[in-house]
PDB file of all heavy atoms in Angstrom:
ATOM      1  N   MET A1163      44.394  60.969  38.809  1.00 88.00           N
ATOM      2  CA  MET A1163      43.273  61.475  38.014  1.00 88.00           C
ATOM      3  C   MET A1163      41.943  60.975  38.563  1.00 88.00           C
ATOM      4  O   MET A1163      40.987  61.739  38.738  1.00 88.00           O
ATOM      5  CB  MET A1163      43.423  61.030  36.552  1.00 88.00           C
ATOM      6  CG  MET A1163      44.519  61.724  35.796  1.00 88.00           C
ATOM      7  SD  MET A1163      44.086  63.423  35.414  1.00 88.00           S
ATOM      8  CE  MET A1163      45.679  64.041  34.880  1.00 88.00           C
ATOM      9  N   GLN A1164      41.873  59.680  38.837  1.00 84.00           N
ATOM     10  CA  GLN A1164      40.617  59.113  39.311  1.00 84.00           C
ATOM     11  C   GLN A1164      40.267  59.610  40.713  1.00 84.00           C
ATOM     12  O   GLN A1164      39.097  59.843  41.028  1.00 84.00           O
ATOM     13  CB  GLN A1164      40.696  57.583  39.287  1.00 84.00           C
ATOM     14  CG  GLN A1164      40.791  56.998  37.889  1.00 84.00           C
ATOM     15  CD  GLN A1164      39.665  57.479  36.989  1.00 84.00           C
ATOM     16  OE1 GLN A1164      38.487  57.284  37.281  1.00 84.00           O
ATOM     17  NE2 GLN A1164      40.018  58.125  35.885  1.00 84.00           N
ATOM     18  N   LEU A1165      41.284  59.787  41.554  1.00 83.00           N
ATOM     19  CA  LEU A1165      41.047  60.337  42.887  1.00 83.00           C
ATOM     20  C   LEU A1165      40.516  61.764  42.787  1.00 83.00           C
ATOM     21  O   LEU A1165      39.563  62.141  43.480  1.00 83.00           O
ATOM     22  CB  LEU A1165      42.338  60.310  43.698  1.00 83.00           C
ATOM     23  CG  LEU A1165      42.293  60.986  45.078  1.00 83.00           C
ATOM     24  CD1 LEU A1165      41.294  60.274  45.973  1.00 83.00           C
ATOM     25  CD2 LEU A1165      43.670  61.003  45.718  1.00 83.00           C
ATOM     26  N   SER A1166      41.113  62.556  41.910  1.00 87.00           N
ATOM     27  CA  SER A1166      40.694  63.950  41.757  1.00 87.00           C
ATOM     28  C   SER A1166      39.280  64.043  41.196  1.00 87.00           C
ATOM     29  O   SER A1166      38.442  64.795  41.700  1.00 87.00           O
ATOM     30  CB  SER A1166      41.674  64.683  40.838  1.00 87.00           C
ATOM     31  OG  SER A1166      41.276  66.027  40.650  1.00 87.00           O
ATOM     32  N   PHE A1167      38.992  63.269  40.155  1.00 88.00           N
ATOM     33  CA  PHE A1167      37.657  63.303  39.561  1.00 88.00           C
ATOM     34  C   PHE A1167      36.602  62.767  40.523  1.00 88.00           C
ATOM     35  O   PHE A1167      35.474  63.253  40.559  1.00 88.00           O
ATOM     36  CB  PHE A1167      37.624  62.480  38.267  1.00 88.00           C
ATOM     37  CG  PHE A1167      38.388  63.097  37.131  1.00 88.00           C
ATOM     38  CD1 PHE A1167      39.042  62.308  36.198  1.00 88.00           C
ATOM     39  CD2 PHE A1167      38.457  64.470  36.986  1.00 88.00           C
ATOM     40  CE1 PHE A1167      39.746  62.874  35.147  1.00 88.00           C
ATOM     41  CE2 PHE A1167      39.163  65.050  35.945  1.00 88.00           C
ATOM     42  CZ  PHE A1167      39.811  64.248  35.021  1.00 88.00           C
ATOM     43  N   GLY A1168      36.983  61.761  41.314  1.00 81.00           N
ATOM     44  CA  GLY A1168      36.016  61.138  42.203  1.00 81.00           C
ATOM     45  C   GLY A1168      35.702  61.949  43.444  1.00 81.00           C
ATOM     46  O   GLY A1168      34.559  61.972  43.912  1.00 81.00           O
ATOM     47  N   MET A1169      36.705  62.633  43.992  1.00 80.00           N
ATOM     48  CA  MET A1169      36.514  63.329  45.256  1.00 80.00           C
ATOM     49  C   MET A1169      36.318  64.828  45.095  1.00 80.00           C
ATOM     50  O   MET A1169      35.931  65.505  46.043  1.00 80.00           O
ATOM     51  CB  MET A1169      37.720  63.075  46.173  1.00 80.00           C
ATOM     52  CG  MET A1169      38.067  61.604  46.363  1.00 80.00           C
ATOM     53  SD  MET A1169      36.670  60.595  46.897  1.00 80.00           S
ATOM     54  CE  MET A1169      36.369  61.299  48.499  1.00 80.00           C
ATOM     55  N   GLY A1170      36.581  65.352  43.902  1.00 80.00           N
ATOM     56  CA  GLY A1170      36.500  66.795  43.704  1.00 80.00           C
ATOM     57  C   GLY A1170      35.117  67.358  43.936  1.00 80.00           C
ATOM     58  O   GLY A1170      34.933  68.318  44.694  1.00 80.00           O
ATOM     59  N   PHE A1171      34.107  66.754  43.308  1.00 73.00           N
ATOM     60  CA  PHE A1171      32.759  67.310  43.435  1.00 73.00           C
ATOM     61  C   PHE A1171      32.216  67.135  44.847  1.00 73.00           C
ATOM     62  O   PHE A1171      31.369  67.913  45.298  1.00 73.00           O
ATOM     63  CB  PHE A1171      31.825  66.671  42.398  1.00 73.00           C
ATOM     64  CG  PHE A1171      31.128  65.422  42.835  1.00 73.00           C
ATOM     65  CD1 PHE A1171      29.808  65.468  43.246  1.00 73.00           C
ATOM     66  CD2 PHE A1171      31.781  64.201  42.829  1.00 73.00           C
ATOM     67  CE1 PHE A1171      29.147  64.320  43.644  1.00 73.00           C
ATOM     68  CE2 PHE A1171      31.131  63.057  43.212  1.00 73.00           C
ATOM     69  CZ  PHE A1171      29.803  63.112  43.629  1.00 73.00           C
ATOM     70  N   ILE A1172      32.729  66.140  45.578  1.00 74.00           N
ATOM     71  CA  ILE A1172      32.316  65.972  46.973  1.00 74.00           C
ATOM     72  C   ILE A1172      32.832  67.138  47.809  1.00 74.00           C
ATOM     73  O   ILE A1172      32.152  67.636  48.711  1.00 74.00           O
ATOM     74  CB  ILE A1172      32.827  64.629  47.522  1.00 74.00           C
ATOM     75  CG1 ILE A1172      32.187  63.467  46.747  1.00 74.00           C
ATOM     76  CG2 ILE A1172      32.527  64.495  49.008  1.00 74.00           C
ATOM     77  CD1 ILE A1172      32.664  62.099  47.193  1.00 74.00           C
ATOM     78  N   GLY A1173      34.048  67.608  47.491  1.00 75.00           N
ATOM     79  CA  GLY A1173      34.594  68.755  48.215  1.00 75.00           C
ATOM     80  C   GLY A1173      33.781  70.018  47.999  1.00 75.00           C
ATOM     81  O   GLY A1173      33.545  70.793  48.936  1.00 75.00           O
ATOM     82  N   ILE A1174      33.339  70.237  46.761  1.00 82.00           N
ATOM     83  CA  ILE A1174      32.501  71.408  46.481  1.00 82.00           C
ATOM     84  C   ILE A1174      31.192  71.310  47.253  1.00 82.00           C
ATOM     85  O   ILE A1174      30.736  72.274  47.882  1.00 82.00           O
ATOM     86  CB  ILE A1174      32.216  71.518  44.972  1.00 82.00           C
ATOM     87  CG1 ILE A1174      33.513  71.668  44.186  1.00 82.00           C
ATOM     88  CG2 ILE A1174      31.292  72.702  44.687  1.00 82.00           C
ATOM     89  CD1 ILE A1174      33.318  71.649  42.685  1.00 82.00           C
ATOM     90  N   ALA A1175      30.574  70.129  47.201  1.00 77.00           N
ATOM     91  CA  ALA A1175      29.304  69.938  47.896  1.00 77.00           C
ATOM     92  C   ALA A1175      29.459  70.129  49.398  1.00 77.00           C
ATOM     93  O   ALA A1175      28.554  70.638  50.074  1.00 77.00           O
ATOM     94  CB  ALA A1175      28.753  68.543  47.586  1.00 77.00           C
ATOM     95  N   ASN A1176      30.613  69.750  49.937  1.00 78.00           N
ATOM     96  CA  ASN A1176      30.843  69.910  51.370  1.00 78.00           C
ATOM     97  C   ASN A1176      30.914  71.381  51.758  1.00 78.00           C
ATOM     98  O   ASN A1176      30.454  71.775  52.844  1.00 78.00           O
ATOM     99  CB  ASN A1176      32.136  69.194  51.768  1.00 78.00           C
ATOM    100  CG  ASN A1176      32.245  68.995  53.261  1.00 78.00           C
ATOM    101  OD1 ASN A1176      31.243  68.948  53.965  1.00 78.00           O
ATOM    102  ND2 ASN A1176      33.457  68.878  53.756  1.00 78.00           N
ATOM    103  N   ASP A1177      31.484  72.222  50.896  1.00 87.00           N
ATOM    104  CA  ASP A1177      31.510  73.662  51.170  1.00 87.00           C
ATOM    105  C   ASP A1177      30.097  74.230  51.250  1.00 87.00           C
ATOM    106  O   ASP A1177      29.838  75.189  51.990  1.00 87.00           O
ATOM    107  CB  ASP A1177      32.292  74.400  50.074  1.00 87.00           C
ATOM    108  CG  ASP A1177      33.798  74.373  50.318  1.00 87.00           C
ATOM    109  OD1 ASP A1177      34.210  73.855  51.371  1.00 87.00           O
ATOM    110  OD2 ASP A1177      34.546  74.857  49.462  1.00 87.00           O
ATOM    111  N   LEU A1178      29.196  73.643  50.487  1.00 90.00           N
ATOM    112  CA  LEU A1178      27.818  74.125  50.492  1.00 90.00           C
ATOM    113  C   LEU A1178      27.170  73.965  51.863  1.00 90.00           C
ATOM    114  O   LEU A1178      26.283  74.746  52.230  1.00 90.00           O
ATOM    115  CB  LEU A1178      26.990  73.373  49.442  1.00 90.00           C
ATOM    116  CG  LEU A1178      27.321  73.648  47.974  1.00 90.00           C
ATOM    117  CD1 LEU A1178      26.459  72.768  47.075  1.00 90.00           C
ATOM    118  CD2 LEU A1178      27.109  75.116  47.629  1.00 90.00           C
ATOM    119  N   ILE A1179      27.592  72.960  52.621  1.00 91.00           N
ATOM    120  CA  ILE A1179      26.978  72.718  53.927  1.00 91.00           C
ATOM    121  C   ILE A1179      27.245  73.878  54.875  1.00 91.00           C
ATOM    122  O   ILE A1179      26.345  74.345  55.583  1.00 91.00           O
ATOM    123  CB  ILE A1179      27.504  71.405  54.537  1.00 91.00           C
ATOM    124  CG1 ILE A1179      27.205  70.230  53.605  1.00 91.00           C
ATOM    125  CG2 ILE A1179      26.872  71.169  55.904  1.00 91.00           C
ATOM    126  CD1 ILE A1179      25.745  70.030  53.321  1.00 91.00           C
ATOM    127  N   ASN A1180      28.479  74.363  54.898  1.00 91.00           N
ATOM    128  CA  ASN A1180      28.808  75.482  55.780  1.00 91.00           C
ATOM    129  C   ASN A1180      28.077  76.755  55.365  1.00 91.00           C
ATOM    130  O   ASN A1180      27.695  77.568  56.212  1.00 91.00           O
ATOM    131  CB  ASN A1180      30.320  75.712  55.772  1.00 91.00           C
ATOM    132  CG  ASN A1180      31.083  74.542  56.361  1.00 91.00           C
ATOM    133  OD1 ASN A1180      30.647  73.936  57.336  1.00 91.00           O
ATOM    134  ND2 ASN A1180      32.218  74.205  55.764  1.00 91.00           N
ATOM    135  N   ILE A1181      27.891  76.927  54.065  1.00 94.00           N
ATOM    136  CA  ILE A1181      27.119  78.079  53.585  1.00 94.00           C
ATOM    137  C   ILE A1181      25.648  77.898  53.937  1.00 94.00           C
ATOM    138  O   ILE A1181      24.962  78.846  54.335  1.00 94.00           O
ATOM    139  CB  ILE A1181      27.309  78.246  52.065  1.00 94.00           C
ATOM    140  CG1 ILE A1181      28.787  78.501  51.743  1.00 94.00           C
ATOM    141  CG2 ILE A1181      26.450  79.385  51.534  1.00 94.00           C
ATOM    142  CD1 ILE A1181      29.099  78.525  50.259  1.00 94.00           C
ATOM    143  N   LEU A1182      25.170  76.657  53.802  1.00 94.00           N
ATOM    144  CA  LEU A1182      23.775  76.363  54.138  1.00 94.00           C
ATOM    145  C   LEU A1182      23.486  76.652  55.606  1.00 94.00           C
ATOM    146  O   LEU A1182      22.410  77.151  55.954  1.00 94.00           O
ATOM    147  CB  LEU A1182      23.470  74.897  53.822  1.00 94.00           C
ATOM    148  CG  LEU A1182      22.059  74.396  54.155  1.00 94.00           C
ATOM    149  CD1 LEU A1182      21.031  75.078  53.261  1.00 94.00           C
ATOM    150  CD2 LEU A1182      21.970  72.878  54.000  1.00 94.00           C
ATOM    151  N   LYS A1183      24.449  76.362  56.475  1.00 94.00           N
ATOM    152  CA  LYS A1183      24.252  76.628  57.902  1.00 94.00           C
ATOM    153  C   LYS A1183      23.991  78.109  58.154  1.00 94.00           C
ATOM    154  O   LYS A1183      23.061  78.465  58.896  1.00 94.00           O
ATOM    155  CB  LYS A1183      25.472  76.172  58.705  1.00 94.00           C
ATOM    156  CG  LYS A1183      25.334  76.442  60.198  1.00 94.00           C
ATOM    157  CD  LYS A1183      26.636  76.240  60.934  1.00 94.00           C
ATOM    158  CE  LYS A1183      26.998  74.784  61.024  1.00 94.00           C
ATOM    159  NZ  LYS A1183      28.174  74.570  61.922  1.00 94.00           N
ATOM    160  N   CYS A1184      24.796  78.971  57.537  1.00 94.00           N
ATOM    161  CA  CYS A1184      24.582  80.415  57.694  1.00 94.00           C
ATOM    162  C   CYS A1184      23.215  80.818  57.162  1.00 94.00           C
ATOM    163  O   CYS A1184      22.517  81.649  57.761  1.00 94.00           O
ATOM    164  CB  CYS A1184      25.681  81.187  56.971  1.00 94.00           C
ATOM    165  SG  CYS A1184      27.340  80.924  57.629  1.00 94.00           S
ATOM    166  N   MET A1185      22.844  80.233  56.043  1.00 93.00           N
ATOM    167  CA  MET A1185      21.568  80.559  55.426  1.00 93.00           C
ATOM    168  C   MET A1185      20.391  80.131  56.296  1.00 93.00           C
ATOM    169  O   MET A1185      19.323  80.742  56.268  1.00 93.00           O
ATOM    170  CB  MET A1185      21.481  79.874  54.062  1.00 93.00           C
ATOM    171  CG  MET A1185      20.415  80.418  53.147  1.00 93.00           C
ATOM    172  SD  MET A1185      20.484  79.620  51.528  1.00 93.00           S
ATOM    173  CE  MET A1185      19.820  78.000  51.914  1.00 93.00           C
ATOM    174  N   MET A1186      20.600  79.099  57.108  1.00 94.00           N
ATOM    175  CA  MET A1186      19.535  78.606  57.975  1.00 94.00           C
ATOM    176  C   MET A1186      19.449  79.373  59.291  1.00 94.00           C
ATOM    177  O   MET A1186      18.355  79.613  59.806  1.00 94.00           O
ATOM    178  CB  MET A1186      19.737  77.112  58.262  1.00 94.00           C
ATOM    179  CG  MET A1186      19.583  76.213  57.054  1.00 94.00           C
ATOM    180  SD  MET A1186      19.769  74.461  57.468  1.00 94.00           S
ATOM    181  CE  MET A1186      18.235  74.161  58.366  1.00 94.00           C
ATOM    182  N   VAL A1187      20.599  79.742  59.860  1.00 94.00           N
ATOM    183  CA  VAL A1187      20.572  80.355  61.190  1.00 94.00           C
ATOM    184  C   VAL A1187      20.308  81.856  61.141  1.00 94.00           C
ATOM    185  O   VAL A1187      19.758  82.413  62.099  1.00 94.00           O
ATOM    186  CB  VAL A1187      21.886  80.073  61.960  1.00 94.00           C
ATOM    187  CG1 VAL A1187      22.125  78.586  62.099  1.00 94.00           C
ATOM    188  CG2 VAL A1187      23.073  80.751  61.304  1.00 94.00           C
ATOM    189  N   ASN A1188      20.678  82.528  60.060  1.00 94.00           N
ATOM    190  CA  ASN A1188      20.499  83.988  60.007  1.00 94.00           C
ATOM    191  C   ASN A1188      19.052  84.421  60.235  1.00 94.00           C
ATOM    192  O   ASN A1188      18.806  85.353  61.013  1.00 94.00           O
ATOM    193  CB  ASN A1188      21.013  84.533  58.669  1.00 94.00           C
ATOM    194  CG  ASN A1188      22.519  84.701  58.651  1.00 94.00           C
ATOM    195  OD1 ASN A1188      23.131  85.061  59.649  1.00 94.00           O
ATOM    196  ND2 ASN A1188      23.134  84.436  57.507  1.00 94.00           N
ATOM    197  N   PRO A1189      18.061  83.788  59.581  1.00 94.00           N
ATOM    198  CA  PRO A1189      16.676  84.251  59.786  1.00 94.00           C
ATOM    199  C   PRO A1189      16.114  83.945  61.169  1.00 94.00           C
ATOM    200  O   PRO A1189      15.041  84.443  61.512  1.00 94.00           O
ATOM    201  CB  PRO A1189      15.892  83.480  58.703  1.00 94.00           C
ATOM    202  CG  PRO A1189      16.905  82.995  57.730  1.00 94.00           C
ATOM    203  CD  PRO A1189      18.130  82.761  58.538  1.00 94.00           C
ATOM    204  N   THR A1190      16.811  83.125  61.968  1.00 94.00           N
ATOM    205  CA  THR A1190      16.275  82.751  63.279  1.00 94.00           C
ATOM    206  C   THR A1190      16.631  83.757  64.369  1.00 94.00           C
ATOM    207  O   THR A1190      16.127  83.650  65.488  1.00 94.00           O
ATOM    208  CB  THR A1190      16.807  81.364  63.699  1.00 94.00           C
ATOM    209  OG1 THR A1190      18.227  81.435  63.901  1.00 94.00           O
ATOM    210  CG2 THR A1190      16.501  80.321  62.634  1.00 94.00           C
ATOM    211  N   TYR A1191      17.497  84.710  64.063  1.00 94.00           N
ATOM    212  CA  TYR A1191      17.892  85.691  65.073  1.00 94.00           C
ATOM    213  C   TYR A1191      16.840  86.795  65.175  1.00 94.00           C
ATOM    214  O   TYR A1191      16.403  87.351  64.163  1.00 94.00           O
ATOM    215  CB  TYR A1191      19.246  86.311  64.729  1.00 94.00           C
ATOM    216  CG  TYR A1191      20.417  85.408  65.002  1.00 94.00           C
ATOM    217  CD1 TYR A1191      20.997  84.665  63.979  1.00 94.00           C
ATOM    218  CD2 TYR A1191      20.946  85.295  66.283  1.00 94.00           C
ATOM    219  CE1 TYR A1191      22.076  83.831  64.225  1.00 94.00           C
ATOM    220  CE2 TYR A1191      22.023  84.460  66.541  1.00 94.00           C
ATOM    221  CZ  TYR A1191      22.584  83.733  65.507  1.00 94.00           C
ATOM    222  OH  TYR A1191      23.649  82.904  65.762  1.00 94.00           O
ATOM    223  N   GLY A1192      16.457  87.094  66.417  1.00 92.00           N
ATOM    224  CA  GLY A1192      15.544  88.198  66.657  1.00 92.00           C
ATOM    225  C   GLY A1192      16.279  89.524  66.675  1.00 92.00           C
ATOM    226  O   GLY A1192      17.506  89.587  66.525  1.00 92.00           O
ATOM    227  N   SER A1193      15.534  90.589  66.892  1.00 89.00           N
ATOM    228  CA  SER A1193      16.135  91.924  66.868  1.00 89.00           C
ATOM    229  C   SER A1193      17.163  92.110  67.984  1.00 89.00           C
ATOM    230  O   SER A1193      18.159  92.816  67.804  1.00 89.00           O
ATOM    231  CB  SER A1193      15.036  92.983  66.984  1.00 89.00           C
ATOM    232  OG  SER A1193      14.233  92.747  68.144  1.00 89.00           O
ATOM    233  N   ASP A1194      16.944  91.481  69.134  1.00 88.00           N
ATOM    234  CA  ASP A1194      17.875  91.635  70.254  1.00 88.00           C
ATOM    235  C   ASP A1194      19.123  90.762  70.108  1.00 88.00           C
ATOM    236  O   ASP A1194      20.126  90.998  70.790  1.00 88.00           O
ATOM    237  CB  ASP A1194      17.171  91.284  71.571  1.00 88.00           C
ATOM    238  CG  ASP A1194      16.061  92.263  71.904  1.00 88.00           C
ATOM    239  OD1 ASP A1194      16.130  93.412  71.412  1.00 88.00           O
ATOM    240  OD2 ASP A1194      15.124  91.885  72.635  1.00 88.00           O
TER     241      ASP A1194
END
Side-chain angles (χ1 to χ4, degrees):
M1163 288 287 168
Q1164 293 306 302
L1165 174 63
S1166 179
F1167 290 147
M1169 308 307 295
F1171 89 101
I1172 297 178
I1174 300 175
N1176 196 25
D1177 277 356
L1178 291 177
I1179 301 301
N1180 295 322
I1181 299 174
L1182 178 67
K1183 179 191 288 188
C1184 296
M1185 197 176 73
M1186 294 182 72
V1187 302
N1188 279 324
T1190 66
Y1191 284 98
S1193 55
D1194 294 336

